[in-house]
Amino acid sequence: MEFLPDTIHYRNFLHYRPSAVRGVIRASAFSLPIDCFYPRTSNVSSLGLQPTWVPFSSTLMHRRHLDFALDVYDSTWLSPLSDPTYYLGDLINIQASVRTGSHVPLRIYVDECVARPSAASSMKYEVITDHGCLVDGQHSRSRFLAPRGDQFLRFQLDTFIFTGASNSQIYLLCHLKAVAASPADQHNKACSYDPATTAWHSHEGGNCSCCASPAGCGSRRRRRHLPQDREGLQLPFSVTTLAIAVLCSLFVFLGILGCYCSTKRYHRGYQMGAVDAALGESGAVAMAPTATGDSNVASKKPGAVVAAACGESGSV
C-alpha cells in the first residue's frame, strides 16, 4: 500500500502456476502485477480540515437505552436489600450502576440526590448537589467510597429522619448520568467532605473547589434552590416577553389616543360648521328678540351672535 497525493495505491501480484495432469502441462506459468488506485477525497489531520465524506465512526449503527440502577446493599456490599430498615447511627450503603452492554466505555456519576419523606411530599433535604458534591457530609459521616470500576459508584449516607413528618421513611430521588470515560472535571465528579481537614476531596482526583464556593459549580438546580433573599426578583416570564407586552400596550394606547383626537376634531369641526351656517343667514342672527316697548337693537358683537346661534339653534 502506498499513499499518493490524491490516491491510495494498492499493488498486488497474481501468480499462476499450472498443475501437471498425468505428467502433462498445457499452460505456461506467469506473474501478473495488479495496481489499484482509490481516490482520496479529503485529508483529516491536525490542521483542522473537514472531510467531505462521512467516516465510519460518525455513522449511527445501533441505538439502545442505558440501564441505570440505584441499589441499597448490606454492610458487606455482597447482596442488595429490597426492604431495608435502619436505625439512627447506621450507614446506608448505596450503589449507583449502569449497564452499557456493547457501548463504548462509560463512567457513572451521581449528579444530585434529594431526600423526601414520601414521593409526593414538598419537604425535601438535599444530599448531593452541584454535579457530585455530597453536601450531607458537612453535617454527618456521609461520603463517597473509592470507585469500583467505571460502571459502579458507591457512597454511604448517614441515617436521619425528617422533623414533623408523619412517618420515618426516606424517599431518595437521584439523578444519575453516564459520560465518556475521561478524567473527572468540575461537572463530572464525586466529592466528599473531610471534617478533619475541612476540605473537599475526590478519589478520582477531580476538582472539588467549587463545592466550597457560595456560587456553586454552575448547577441550575442549585441556583433555583437558593434562599429567597439571595435569589432576588424572580419573574414568571422572560425579559423578552415583558418587552413585547410593553410594546403592544404602547401601540394600543397610541391607537386609542389617535381615535380620541380624530373624534374630537370631528365634533369641533361640526360645531364650527353649524355656527358658520348660522352666521350666513343674516335674517336669523342680525335681529334678536326685543322686549315690548323697547326699540333698541340687539347687540351685534360676535360673541353675542355665536351665543345665540349655539344656544338656540333649534329656534333659529
Side-chain angles (χ1 to χ4, degrees):
M1 182 181 65
E2 181 183 10
F3 282 91
L4 301 178
D6 297 322
T7 58
I8 301 177
H9 178 203
Y10 288 92
R11 170 168 289 183
N12 299 279
F13 288 91
L14 178 62
H15 302 285
Y16 177 70
R17 299 291 183 266
S19 58
V21 179
R22 298 179 182 180
V24 178
I25 298 177
R26 299 182 182 275
S28 300
F30 67 90
S31 296
L32 179 65
I34 300 176
D35 293 328
C36 299
F37 295 88
Y38 294 92
R40 298 177 62 184
T41 56
S42 184
N43 178 34
V44 179
S45 66
S46 60
L47 300 178
L49 299 178
Q50 297 295 329
T52 57
W53 49 277
V54 180
F56 176 79
S57 59
S58 67
T59 304
L60 179 64
M61 301 301 296
H62 181 65
R63 184 187 297 272
R64 59 169 299 174
H65 294 284
L66 299 177
D67 296 328
F68 291 92
L70 190 68
D71 300 309
V72 178
Y73 279 76
D74 59 4
S75 58
T76 62
W77 291 95
L78 294 178
S79 58
L81 303 177
S82 58
D83 191 14
T85 300
Y86 298 93
Y87 299 93
L88 292 178
D90 293 342
L91 289 175
I92 306 174
N93 296 328
I94 303 174
Q95 175 177 283
S97 61
V98 57
R99 291 190 301 172
T100 59
S102 58
H103 200 281
V104 296
L106 296 176
R107 180 171 297 174
I108 187 171
Y109 289 100
V110 182
D111 222 28
E112 68 171 9
C113 273
V114 177
R116 300 177 185 270
S118 64
S121 175
S122 60
M123 189 183 304
K124 64 181 179 181
Y125 174 71
E126 292 183 334
V127 177
I128 300 175
T129 61
D130 283 330
H131 306 292
C133 298
L134 211 165
V135 293
D136 183 61
Q138 295 177 296
H139 317 287
S140 65
R141 299 172 295 164
S142 301
R143 62 191 178 98
F144 282 106
L145 302 182
R148 178 177 157 261
D150 292 338
Q151 300 181 13
F152 300 91
L153 181 62
R154 291 176 173 177
F155 64 97
Q156 290 181 318
L157 181 62
D158 205 346
T159 53
F160 59 88
I161 58 175
F162 288 93
T163 58
S166 59
N167 52 41
S168 58
Q169 71 176 8
I170 297 176
Y171 183 86
L172 193 63
L173 178 64
C174 296
H175 176 227
L176 311 180
K177 67 178 179 181
V179 299
S182 59
D185 55 22
Q186 186 173 345
H187 293 87
N188 302 309
K189 60 186 181 298
C191 296
S192 303
Y193 182 77
D194 187 4
T197 60
T198 63
W200 293 87
H201 69 91
S202 171
H203 293 284
E204 301 173 310
N207 184 7
C208 301
S209 59
C210 63
C211 293
S213 173
C217 304
S219 173
R220 296 181 178 179
R221 298 181 179 89
R222 180 67 176 273
R223 288 196 293 266
R224 283 201 298 264
H225 295 328
L226 288 174
Q228 189 173 3
D229 58 345
R230 295 176 59 185
E231 286 184 354
L233 180 61
Q234 298 292 331
L235 299 176
F237 40 79
S238 63
V239 178
T240 304
T241 305
L242 178 61
I244 294 175
V246 170
L247 289 176
C248 293
S249 302
L250 181 60
F251 291 151
V252 172
F253 174 76
L254 293 177
I256 295 175
L257 183 61
C259 293
Y260 174 78
C261 294
S262 300
T263 306
K264 195 72 175 177
R265 286 195 301 268
Y266 174 79
H267 285 291
R268 185 181 302 172
Y270 174 79
Q271 292 178 357
M272 292 301 296
V275 172
D276 293 339
L279 290 175
E281 298 178 5
S282 58
V285 297
M287 300 294 295
T290 57
T292 305
D294 189 0
S295 60
N296 294 331
V297 181
S299 174
K300 296 184 180 181
K301 295 181 180 180
V305 173
V306 172
C310 295
E312 299 181 1
S313 58
S315 61
V316 172

